[in-house]
Amino acid sequence: MSIKYDFTGKVALITGSSSGIGAATAQLFAKSGANVVVTGRNADSVAKVAKQCTDVSPKQLPALEVVGDLTNDEDCNRLIETTVQTFGKIDILVNSAGSGFYFNIDATDFMEKFSLALKTNLNSLVYMTHKCVPHLAKTRGNIINISSVSSKKSSSGESPYCVSKAAVNMFTKCMAAELGPKRIRVNAILSGVVDTNFNTVFEISKELIDEINKSIGQKYPVGRVGQPEDIANTVAYLASDTAAGFLTGSLVVADGGDIAANVSYD
């Protein structure tokens, strides 16, 4: 039996929602009755996901489309302001935007790439949280941050990504403690390998990515890598005050057994 959530009347702002985990999350919130905000850097992708959200919405609620780059503070401000102007409030913030950064320490442009990793995966998340807190305090809302098992597993050549995600974990716990008196819950999801276009950062073919995912999936205790919907379902659970109202500061592992089985991607 599938679990159904009711987010009728709620406003969910999902960053990085023009593809992958963010897109699946936006669609699930829309299907559950929420007003959703779809945002990303590509206008066509944003429009496509927004239409999908409207189509699955029980009342055909139109999704708000905002095109922007979250590494730009002005775009972040416009995203939040447009959301509040359109819907009047924010109940749920899902910080899903992020990218992979894999470079060795002796790379000539390592510091530049390391700074970009922090700016993309951490700073934008911190800034969105900073700016959304006044609105979430009014609704006693909650924040879900998308982290990674890489925050718990060191790996050669992956320090920019691992460090940025480890910082997301600590920021999540700090915010849970700090925002508790405002009745804002803050949790994070440590995702395992998920079959999305995220891995195109490696600039390899889709066919090779599929082969890699199949190989990794065979090592996972559940026998497969994740799908965007797997993480979206976990987001919905954490966002539900009825189901998860006593959870805050939690780092929820949704990884198919990656960490438990000490899976190596080599």
Side-chain angles (χ1 to χ4, degrees):
M1 183 177 71
S2 61
I3 298 173
K4 293 184 178 181
Y5 294 98
D6 184 4
F7 291 107
T8 302
K10 300 291 186 180
V11 176
L13 194 171
I14 306 102
T15 70
S17 45
S18 60
S19 65
I21 292 171
T25 300
Q27 290 169 41
L28 180 54
F29 275 121
K31 188 176 182 179
S32 303
N35 286 293
V36 299
V37 184
V38 179
T39 183
R41 291 178 292 184
N42 184 285
D44 290 340
S45 297
V46 169
K48 178 181 178 181
V49 174
K51 183 181 184 305
Q52 292 169 340
C53 289
T54 301
D55 289 345
V56 300
S57 171
K59 296 183 179 180
Q60 302 293 288
L61 298 175
L64 175 62
E65 302 174 33
V66 182
V67 178
D69 182 351
L70 292 187
T71 63
N72 184 312
D73 290 352
E74 291 183 2
D75 282 3
C76 290
N77 292 336
R78 178 169 53 82
L79 170 60
I80 296 167
E81 290 168 2
T82 304
T83 299
V84 175
Q85 288 170 1
T86 303
F87 297 123
K89 62 174 183 172
I90 301 173
D91 295 283
I92 302 161
L93 171 64
V94 182
N95 286 308
S96 180
S99 187
F101 295 87
Y102 308 95
F103 299 93
N104 290 322
I105 190 68
D106 57 0
T108 56
D109 59 349
F110 177 83
M111 290 310 302
E112 177 185 344
K113 298 297 186 183
F114 188 82
S115 295
L116 182 58
L118 293 180
K119 188 175 183 180
T120 303
N121 293 345
L122 176 64
N123 294 4
S124 61
L125 177 151
V126 171
Y127 191 82
M128 285 296 295
T129 300
H130 167 60
K131 288 294 185 178
C132 284
V133 162
H135 303 290
L136 294 169
K138 293 177 182 177
T139 59
R140 294 194 170 191
N142 65 84
I143 302 169
I144 299 100
N145 298 321
I146 304 301
S147 184
S148 167
V149 293
S150 293
S151 65
K152 296 290 188 179
K153 298 169 61 177
S154 59
S155 180
S156 176
E158 295 187 18
S159 63
Y161 185 70
C162 294
V163 169
S164 66
K165 289 302 186 178
V168 167
N169 293 355
M170 183 53 72
F171 182 72
T172 297
K173 296 170 75 172
C174 288
M175 288 301 99
E178 184 172 329
L179 298 179
K182 297 181 184 295
R183 299 298 179 263
I184 299 173
R185 295 188 298 110
V186 188
N187 295 289
I189 298 170
L190 276 58
S191 169
V193 174
V194 176
D195 185 16
T196 70
N197 61 2
F198 179 88
N199 288 327
T200 56
V201 68
F202 294 111
E203 297 183 352
I204 55 180
S205 68
K206 179 65 165 60
E207 291 74 18
L208 182 54
I209 290 174
D210 289 342
E211 288 183 19
I212 293 171
N213 284 345
K214 181 179 179 180
S215 175
I216 294 173
Q218 290 172 344
K219 299 178 183 178
Y220 274 13
V222 298
R224 63 176 176 86
V225 298
Q227 294 298 316
E229 293 75 18
D230 292 316
I231 309 304
N233 285 325
T234 310
V235 172
Y237 167 71
L238 289 173
S240 171
D241 290 327
T242 301
F246 199 54
L247 269 69
T248 194
S250 295
L251 305 179
V252 178
V253 179
D255 70 345
D258 186 317
I259 293 177
N262 297 307
V263 171
S264 170
Y265 303 154
D266 297 333

